Amino acid sequence: MIKRIDATEKAIELIKVLKEKHGDLMFYQAGGCCEGTQPQCFEKGGYYQRTGDVCIGTVEDAEFWVDKDLFEYWKHAHFTLTVIDAFGVGGFSLETPLKKTFQIEYRIFTPEEELNLEPVTRIE
């Protein structure tokens, strides 16, 4: 099965640091402006998904949730979670005090990959 999300080594290192401090984590990427322009990292259960939102997979055992409308737009794309040294939008995400910001890089799945994608989970 082809994963819909992966992470860079630098992002994985930061997730490990955040898990050590905060316990289990989750990610949410909204489709709107401001906070929704970048993935947000929360303590697991610290953000309540809406009906129709989609879990596209996990990164270091942290579920990665995507707004239902954003998923429809990007359902043919692979997400790669990265991190940069910068203060992101807003500041609700757990990496903000460390002066880090999670970001997503996208690429379109090949036709062969589309045939073997991991299933997603939706909030009903």
Side-chain angles (χ1 to χ4, degrees):
M1 301 294 291
I2 303 298
K3 292 180 68 169
R4 293 176 178 268
I5 183 154
D6 285 304
T8 63
E9 194 58 42
K10 191 173 178 182
I12 290 170
E13 289 172 16
L14 180 56
I15 291 167
K16 289 177 180 177
V17 168
L18 294 173
K19 282 176 80 172
E20 189 172 301
K21 182 173 183 176
H22 299 282
D24 291 338
L25 304 174
M26 65 177 289
F27 287 89
Y28 188 81
Q29 175 128 13
C33 66
C34 303
E35 290 298 329
T37 58
Q38 295 173 276
Q40 301 290 298
C41 181
F42 301 100
E43 292 177 358
K44 187 172 184 173
Y47 184 88
Y48 297 101
Q49 304 89 334
R50 301 174 307 148
T51 299
D53 284 347
V54 180
C55 180
I56 62 169
T58 61
V59 177
E60 293 297 300
D61 297 320
E63 293 176 339
F64 194 99
W65 289 89
V66 178
D67 169 83
K68 62 184 177 181
D69 296 327
L70 182 68
F71 178 74
E72 284 305 311
Y73 187 78
W74 285 106
K75 66 184 172 186
H76 301 289
H78 179 272
F79 289 46
T80 300
L81 184 66
T82 65
V83 66
I84 60 170
D85 294 325
F87 183 76
V89 178
F92 295 113
S93 195
L94 293 175
E95 79 280 4
T96 301
L98 303 175
K99 298 181 181 168
K100 307 281 185 189
T101 299
F102 285 111
Q103 291 185 323
I104 290 291
E105 296 176 355
Y106 303 97
R107 73 167 175 80
I108 302 301
F109 289 118
T110 66
E112 295 79 22
E113 288 174 321
E114 287 266 356
L115 296 174
N116 199 27
L117 291 175
E118 282 186 339
V120 298
T121 302
R122 293 181 188 265
I123 300 286
E124 298 296 329

